Amino acid sequence: KEPDVIAGKTGTTLLAKEVLITVANINKHRYFLVVMGSEDRYTDTKLLLKWIRENIVWKTQEFPLQIPTETR
C-alpha cells in the first residue's frame, strides 16, 4: 500500500494495456493519476507519486493580490 493513496481502480484491454486510476492526497492537495498503456501500472504509478511528492510545490497568495501598475 502506497501512503497518501485514497482509492484506485484497475483495468486491462488490448489497446490500453494495463490501466490504473489513482486518487491521492499529497500535502493537503488531491491528485488524480491515470496510467494507461503500461507494462507495469503499479511501478509507473509509484514513480509518478514519488515525482509529485518531490517536485510539486503549492504556494499561497495573500489577497488582495497586488498587481504592479505601470508608471509613466
Side-chain angles (χ1 to χ4, degrees):
K1 174 132 178 146
E2 188 72 18
D4 306 319
V5 171
I6 300 168
K9 174 67 176 113
T10 62
T12 304
T13 68
L14 291 175
L15 291 175
K17 298 185 181 181
E18 291 189 11
V19 177
L20 178 57
I21 300 170
T22 305
V23 181
N25 267 335
I26 300 173
N27 297 324
K28 300 181 183 177
H29 294 280
R30 186 159 292 174
Y31 293 86
F32 296 84
L33 288 74
V34 179
V35 172
M36 299 177 72
S38 176
E39 299 293 332
D40 186 353
R41 59 187 160 211
Y42 298 109
T43 298
D44 292 344
T45 299
K46 286 181 180 183
L47 289 170
L48 284 169
L49 290 167
K50 182 178 186 292
W51 187 90
I52 290 169
R53 286 186 196 102
E54 293 175 356
N55 293 283
I56 301 292
V57 177
W58 288 82
K59 296 183 180 182
T60 57
Q61 176 64 50
E62 298 296 325
F63 287 94
L65 179 62
Q66 299 296 317
I67 300 173
T69 57
E70 185 177 5
T71 58
R72 294 181 192 233

